Amino acid sequence: MTIDCCLITTNAQSKLPFLEQCVASLAPYTDMFTQKIMSVDLFPDGVFLDWYDRFRNDGWTVLSKTVAPRGSITLNQKRVIDHARSDMILYVEDDIRVRALPKQSTIEKIFTQGIIHGKKAGFVCFNTHVFKHFTQNPPHVIDAICNLDNYI
């Protein structure tokens, strides 16, 4: 089972420290990834694309496109995911710092064996702030999110 790391970011000066922290937090896991792919939305007042050479030199594929007036983040997500060629994707945004990832053998077990209430996982979310974003969803969705039995 292969895993590609897919990261999205922008060239906004204010985002660069977060991006550097994010990439540094992923460094202990780079052997786990078949590819490391970064997609950059380019704003006219942001840093030049050559700033990202530091990541290219560290094995990242860096994709870029001028920011679109509408739907830019979605297009950035699609661009990075379209370039993935692995069985699985670790999707990360530039303001995330990864404290720990499961061992690859654990990840494979989660997706291939029925260990979660007899079911295989199809999607794993490490997002810890979902509760504040799910107040307008139908009650059954909120119940599923808030039910801690649905988590490993």
Side-chain angles (χ1 to χ4, degrees):
M1 184 169 283
T2 57
I3 303 172
D4 284 349
C5 181
C6 294
L7 187 154
I8 67 165
T9 189
T10 74
N11 68 333
Q13 185 75 38
S14 62
K15 288 287 199 172
L16 303 181
F18 296 112
L19 173 62
E20 290 178 315
Q21 292 171 7
C22 174
V23 170
S25 75
L26 292 165
Y29 306 101
T30 55
D31 290 345
M32 183 184 291
F33 307 128
T34 307
Q35 292 186 93
K36 299 179 296 183
I37 311 164
M38 180 184 301
S39 183
V40 183
D41 261 350
L42 299 174
F43 287 90
D45 57 347
V47 299
F48 293 108
L49 195 55
D50 62 356
W51 186 88
Y52 296 87
D53 286 347
R54 66 191 72 207
F55 302 113
R56 283 189 190 95
N57 294 338
D58 197 31
W60 286 85
T61 298
V62 178
L63 312 169
S64 64
K65 187 167 180 15
T66 302
V67 70
R70 294 183 54 167
S72 194
I73 191 169
T74 305
L75 295 172
N76 204 7
Q77 292 167 332
K78 182 179 181 330
R79 183 170 48 252
V80 75
I81 291 170
D82 281 349
H83 282 78
R85 299 290 175 254
S86 60
D87 300 315
M88 297 171 42
I89 293 172
L90 174 67
Y91 168 78
V92 185
E93 295 183 8
D94 56 9
D95 57 352
I96 300 299
R97 281 180 273 168
V98 176
R99 184 172 49 196
L101 288 176
K103 294 184 292 187
Q104 188 160 350
S105 60
T106 303
I107 294 170
E108 289 178 15
K109 190 179 286 188
I110 290 169
F111 284 95
T112 60
Q113 298 176 21
I115 65 169
I116 306 162
H117 307 295
K119 299 178 184 174
K120 296 181 227 177
F123 175 81
V124 175
C125 179
F126 294 106
N127 188 345
T128 59
H129 60 274
V130 292
F131 290 99
K132 70 180 182 181
H133 293 292
F134 287 99
T135 57
Q136 303 302 315
N137 283 300
H140 72 281
V141 173
I142 293 171
D143 290 344
I145 291 167
C146 295
N147 181 351
L148 296 181
D149 289 335
N150 291 329
Y151 299 89
I152 299 172

